[in-house]
Amino acid sequence: MIIFGGYIRILILLATLPALFLAYQVYKLDTIEKEPPKMLLHLALWGGIMIFPAMIIEIAFGWVIDFAFGGYVNIFYILVSNFIGVAMVEEACKYFILKRRTWASEEFNYRYDGIVYAVCVGAGFAVFENVLYGFSYGLGTILLRAITAIPAHIIFGIFMGHYYGEARRMENIGDPSGSFRYRAYSVIVPLLLHGFYDFAASVEEMIWVFWGFVVVLDLIAFRQIKLYAARDVSVDGDVAYDAAYDEEEKNGNDF
């Protein structure tokens, strides 16, 4: 029993540490005004809880997809299964709790806050998912996911939070259509990234495409989050800053 208990503790620790480490790196870049740790912990816990409704919806979607394709697995089945049956479900669940818990918060006063919030939700989701995978498949799976799935969920959160923070700014400066557009991006962009990640991982012939995608996505996210943190601005807008920001967008330096 002692050995078994030690194994469980190691499993949970290894499932948790990579997500905590990466989330903390994102948190450190928030240099203007740190978010309350209690709020971030709640977001991570709720992100973890969302794994359960996501699993239920994924199972239901799986039945629908199996029925639609008559149980025949081909490339289109894999595409639909990964982009709709998994990526759409998981990113929608994460976005749901993100918006519900943060959109009206007084703490949400800078654009970069959106990234911090989304990453905390994604980290919580990734940890709970990783623990479940660990119990099902063992430590080897957790170690592999530490360099693949965990960073991926953090990166999906970075992209979701980027557009989510921009949506909040648009709302505050009186541009509801712009806010709606960016909120749509905050789901669609991580959905597409997540869907392709899962699709490439599911097709044996695309294994090198998968690893190339992981490396490139990591590098892009690392570069862009540093740029975005460095040019953070209040969600109430800043005319002088926005002019420079728009110029950078024209030069292709945005997401």
Side-chain angles (χ1 to χ4, degrees):
M1 290 297 293
I2 295 177
I3 294 175
F4 182 72
Y7 175 81
I8 296 298
R9 285 193 290 271
I10 292 172
L11 187 149
I12 293 175
L13 190 65
L14 291 176
T16 304
L17 285 179
L20 290 179
F21 173 78
L22 293 173
Y24 180 67
Q25 301 309 308
V26 173
Y27 173 79
K28 281 201 307 182
L29 291 174
D30 187 10
T31 56
I32 296 178
E33 182 180 280
K34 296 292 187 186
E35 301 309 293
K38 184 177 180 180
M39 179 185 186
L40 302 184
L41 177 60
H42 285 172
L43 286 172
L45 289 174
W46 275 106
I49 290 170
M50 292 309 294
I51 189 70
F52 300 107
M55 287 172 59
I56 293 171
I57 298 170
E58 285 173 4
I59 290 171
F61 260 117
W63 291 338
V64 173
I65 294 169
D66 282 342
F67 177 79
F69 283 86
Y72 179 67
V73 178
N74 56 24
I75 196 69
F76 298 107
Y77 174 96
I78 298 172
L79 277 169
V80 172
S81 179
N82 284 299
F83 277 88
I84 298 178
V86 177
M88 185 182 75
V89 173
E90 294 187 2
E91 297 308 319
C93 284
K94 287 186 280 187
Y95 177 81
F96 170 80
I97 203 64
L98 171 67
K99 188 170 187 296
R100 184 174 179 84
R101 303 291 297 184
T102 66
W103 186 258
S105 173
E106 293 181 355
E107 302 293 341
F108 192 2
N109 50 5
Y110 285 89
R111 286 189 310 198
Y112 189 81
D113 295 349
I115 289 181
V116 176
Y117 300 153
V119 164
C120 284
V121 172
F125 191 97
V127 166
F128 275 58
E129 184 181 56
N130 218 22
V131 169
L132 293 176
Y133 268 96
F135 282 128
S136 299
Y137 304 109
L139 290 177
T141 298
I142 282 185
L143 294 175
L144 177 62
R145 288 174 58 82
I147 60 172
T148 55
I150 297 295
H153 275 294
I154 298 298
I155 290 170
F156 303 152
I158 289 172
F159 280 89
M160 179 179 287
H162 166 77
Y163 293 110
Y164 183 69
E166 195 63 56
R168 186 69 159 81
R169 186 180 77 95
M170 290 292 178
E171 182 85 6
N172 280 23
I173 65 175
D175 185 357
S177 63
S179 179
F180 176 82
R181 182 173 68 254
Y182 277 107
R183 277 183 279 133
Y185 291 161
S186 72
V187 177
I188 294 170
V189 173
L191 184 163
L192 293 175
L193 294 173
H194 192 162
F196 186 79
Y197 171 95
D198 286 349
F199 173 70
S202 300
V203 179
E204 186 176 349
E205 293 80 5
M206 293 184 67
I207 188 62
W208 292 112
V209 174
F210 168 77
W211 284 109
F213 180 71
V214 168
V215 171
V216 170
L217 193 61
D218 287 352
L219 293 174
I220 290 174
F222 176 75
R223 174 183 177 276
Q224 291 301 135
I225 194 172
K226 291 178 69 177
L227 287 173
Y228 197 66
R231 62 192 190 197
D232 196 12
V233 66
S234 166
V235 293
D236 293 326
D238 183 305
V239 175
Y241 175 84
D242 287 342
Y245 176 67
D246 290 340
E247 186 62 31
E248 287 190 16
E249 282 188 314
K250 292 176 183 178
N251 293 332
N253 291 327
D254 198 20
F255 274 103

